[in-house]
Amino acid sequence: MISAVGRLQDVRALVTGGTSGIGASIVDRFRAEGAAVAFTGRDATRGEEVALRTGGSFVRADVRDGKDVSASVSAALDALGGLDALVANAGILHDSTLSETSDEAWDAVLETNLIGSYLYAVACLPALRASGGGSITMTSSDAGVWGETAIAAYSVSKRALNMLVQTLAVEAGPSGVRVNAVCPGDTAPGMASYVKGRVEGEDTSPGWILPPLARVGTGADVAAAVAFFASSDGAFCNGSILLVDGGMRASLRASAVASHGVSGAGEGT
């Protein structure tokens, strides 16, 4: 296997929600590939643990707080000396149908998953432009590609995030800033508030339907895709919405087509 170590050498990156799950895997991967990394989170204890393990710089921040966003971006720029990549990863999930979602839960999900990512992107754009270009990668979800009624507010927030990515890609592209999204399927370790004790490498979690690759995704799988977008290998990717789901959407689409007894041949994209 060819080593990817060094692909992000000299890249200065800020990762939001980097203290656990996919975010911590992204910090690990970026550091392993040579990036200088600052990362945020709300849990100072976990943040200090990740910083000690990886050598990254932890900044405590809540993405829902505009003052925290501004302060953490300033702290990251001071620590890194500039910025080449933003990974807007912080997110939360609420397990409820739309009609049963409280106003408080709706606000918390949208403020974290959508507005927080927007605030960080806008706050980081001047520094990315000053660096001569760079990348913004947002962690979306397969639930943002098709509606999932059991996690409705989350699904809505991620669909909106995908449109944020594509709109910002058009605006920022001319200044050399590429904006893309990764859309993980079921992942362990994933969202700390939802994994419920599942561990990395676990393939048969109760209630989880496995994709064609016959395993649950890992944080490392998602981190690899994010590293691609942040590297020169992703230099011509802008506005991309990349599924990292082991083929789950393809499988569900094929099942839907089969259940209706029609061929997918000749379908539009």
Side-chain angles (χ1 to χ4, degrees), residues 142-159:
D142 62 351
V145 178
W146 64 81
E148 293 195 23
T149 58
I151 49 173
Y154 179 82
S155 189
V156 169
S157 73
K158 295 300 187 177
R159 184 67 170 185

Side-chain angles (χ1 to χ4, degrees), residues 7 11 18 38 47 70 94 148 151 171 205 214-215 218-219 250 266:
R7 185 168 59 167
V11 169
S70 297
H94 182 70
E148 293 195 23
I151 49 173
E171 176 184 342
S205 299
R215 67 174 176 85
T218 68

